Each structure stands twice: as C-alpha cells, then as structure tokens.
Amino acid sequence: MTQSLDKDSKVVHEQLLAVAKQAVAAACSIKPEDVRIDEDGEIGFDHNGSGVVFLGAETDYPRYTFRSLVLDSVKIEPKVYEYVNAINVDIVFGAFHVEKEAIWFYYCLPVDRPTPDLVRFAMDMCVSIVDDYDDRLKALVGGERFVETADDEIEV
C-alpha cells in the first residue's frame, strides 16, 4: 500500500503513524489499533532480543526516526569512541553515537510514499543491528543495556 503524503503537517504525522502502526502490527501479529504510542509519540518494539528500538514520525521533512538506547552508565574513555567508530565503519544502516554516559543507535528513513513493508524492513534492520552490537559493546566498554535498566525499575 503506497500512500502519498498530504502537505499539512498534522495530516502527514497521522499518515506516517498509520503506516508505522501497520508495520508494527504485522511484525507483532496484532491489529494496528492495538499498537501503543507512548507519551513521546513513539512506538517501542523489539523481536524478543535485548534491544528496544523506538520509532517516531517527523514532519519538517517526512521521515521515520529509529533510535535505541543501547548502553547506559558507560564510563566514557577514548576507547569507547574507537569502538563506536569501528562499528560505524562496518555497518551500512544507521549509526551509533556517544552522548553523555550512553551509547545510542540512530537511523533516519526519509519517505515520500511510505509503505508498511518499507517501515517493517527498516524496523527489522534496526532491531537486528542493536541486538547484534549491544552485547559486544557491553563486553568491551561495560555499562547496562536498556532492557537491564528497565528490568531494574520494575517493582515486584
């Protein structure tokens, strides 16, 4: 389903989110109306791995953003930048970056005529990359994965 984007910013945002919901719903075998959008206007998803990727829709120029807090509480030393740069040379989809005491993954998908299949492909790629590199980075630089931090906050 190819959908041409309307010019109005609010309409574009709603159209982008509708396509994103279709993609996430297909990946999770649920109905699009059951896809939850958080208070930041993003959809969090994973594939039962250790990484969670957040999908957002931006309208200043129509695009999807995929971001993931890969590691938190990292002691930032020169080797952290070396490892992140080496990974960025190896991957062709998205990029890792260091911000404060954290390592993030980010990918931007500009769209004119978004389809659920295109968004699903980007989702799968992002989750795969984050799942592949979070354990490697943790072994090299320490810190906590997002999933570990989230588990620590759950009261039982």
Side-chain angles (χ1 to χ4, degrees), residues 78-92:
K79 70 177 181 178
V80 173
Y81 293 100
E82 291 175 27
Y83 294 138
V84 167
N85 287 336
I87 291 169
N88 285 336
V89 168
D90 285 342
I91 62 175
V92 295

Side-chain angles (χ1 to χ4, degrees), residues 77-137:
E77 302 173 323
K79 70 177 181 178
V80 173
Y81 293 100
E82 291 175 27
Y83 294 138
V84 167
N85 287 336
I87 291 169
N88 285 336
V89 168
D90 285 342
I91 62 175
V92 295
F93 203 92
F96 288 85
H97 70 275
V98 177
E99 184 177 310
K100 299 183 183 176
E101 294 181 342
I103 298 175
W104 289 82
F105 174 80
Y106 180 81
Y107 176 67
C108 175
L109 176 64
V111 292
D112 180 31
R113 299 181 185 277
T115 65
D117 289 340
L118 176 64
V119 176
R120 171 94 185 261
F121 173 77
M123 287 170 41
D124 290 344
M125 290 296 295
C126 291
V127 168
S128 178
I129 290 168
V130 169
D131 280 344
D132 191 32
Y133 284 100
D134 63 351
D135 290 330
R136 294 182 200 188
L137 281 166

Side-chain angles (χ1 to χ4, degrees), residues 28 64 147 152:
C28 298
Y64 291 103
V147 172
D152 290 346

